[in-house]
Amino acid sequence: LSFSDVNSDKFRRNAGPISEAFNVKSIIQRIPLQPKVLRLRPREIPRDSQRDDYIRDVKRARLVGDLKRSMRAEIGRGLVELEVRENSVIIRFPDKSAFSLGSVDLAARILPTLDKIAQVIAAADGAIRVAGHTDDRPISTPKFRSNWDLSAARATSVVHYLLRDQRIRPDRVVVQGF
């Protein structure tokens, strides 16, 4: 037992029965108490830009950790790739995992992953940029005049799906086509 403030008389009266209960000869050990003086150094307060960089780095690390945990299986199966850059976190859907050739309809197999992504980014701060891509085969249909039209429409499909999560504010989202 350890005591920080001990009434000596009460302690000595109880020490005997405690010693007998544990079959110990003596449980009293005197430790001289000397007050410790803590010296605190003045904390260096970082400049605003350093603090902002630190906060950004912490938020990015938290976002990356949350995404990795929630999409561990999808990343392992190659359905999703996660890339961390200095100012952004990129979630990439390789090849045809999100769309069929020439289509803007989301593949059913990717919807649970998008639900996980929506949940994580809804809890995070910052802008959300959804960039649609196509392959290098030229396209020219009444619906899509070019790959650029198709890529922008794909990004828009993803955004509409993500915005079903009411916690994601539309003003955080930007759509791009490549």
Side-chain angles (χ1 to χ4, degrees):
L1 294 176
S2 171
F3 298 91
S4 60
D5 187 23
V6 179
N7 177 323
S8 296
D9 292 333
K10 283 186 180 179
F11 180 77
R12 288 189 198 296
R13 278 189 301 232
N14 292 312
I18 292 173
S19 295
E20 289 173 19
F22 290 101
N23 198 20
V24 177
K25 292 183 181 181
S26 174
I27 63 168
I28 299 174
Q29 179 181 10
R30 291 194 177 266
I31 300 174
L33 297 176
Q34 297 176 353
K36 285 190 174 183
V37 177
L38 297 176
R39 295 197 177 143
L40 301 175
R41 291 185 222 144
R43 188 169 160 224
E44 187 176 317
I45 299 172
R47 296 186 332 241
D48 287 345
S49 64
Q50 287 176 323
R51 185 182 67 235
D52 292 346
D53 290 348
Y54 173 77
I55 290 169
R56 185 194 68 231
D57 292 346
V58 167
K59 287 181 178 181
R60 184 180 56 235
R62 185 177 300 140
L63 175 63
V64 169
D66 291 346
L67 287 168
K68 282 182 177 178
R69 276 188 294 282
S70 70
M71 298 187 307
R72 185 179 323 251
E74 290 88 347
I75 292 170
R77 291 193 323 259
L79 288 175
V80 178
E81 296 171 355
L82 197 60
E83 182 182 335
V84 181
R85 293 193 179 167
E86 186 175 335
N87 293 321
S88 60
V89 176
I90 299 170
I91 303 167
R92 186 173 288 120
F93 298 95
D95 292 334
K96 298 172 189 110
S97 64
F99 298 98
S100 298
L101 187 64
S103 174
V104 297
D105 297 323
L106 287 162
R109 69 181 168 274
I110 208 68
L111 299 180
T113 304
L114 285 174
D115 290 333
K116 292 176 183 181
I117 292 169
Q119 184 176 358
V120 172
I121 64 176
D125 293 332
I128 302 164
R129 182 174 49 138
V130 179
H133 292 265
T134 64
D135 57 26
D136 58 358
R137 292 184 209 134
I139 187 170
S140 182
T141 67
K143 192 171 183 180
F144 306 112
R145 294 175 298 174
S146 66
N147 279 338
W148 184 78
D149 285 348
L150 175 59
S151 65
R154 285 179 170 182
T156 302
S157 292
V158 171
V159 167
H160 285 190
Y161 190 84
L162 291 175
L163 290 179
R164 291 178 26 194
D165 187 317
Q166 299 290 318
R167 297 172 299 162
I168 299 174
R169 293 186 337 268
D171 65 339
R172 292 178 59 198
V173 182
V174 174
V175 173
Q176 291 181 314
F178 291 95

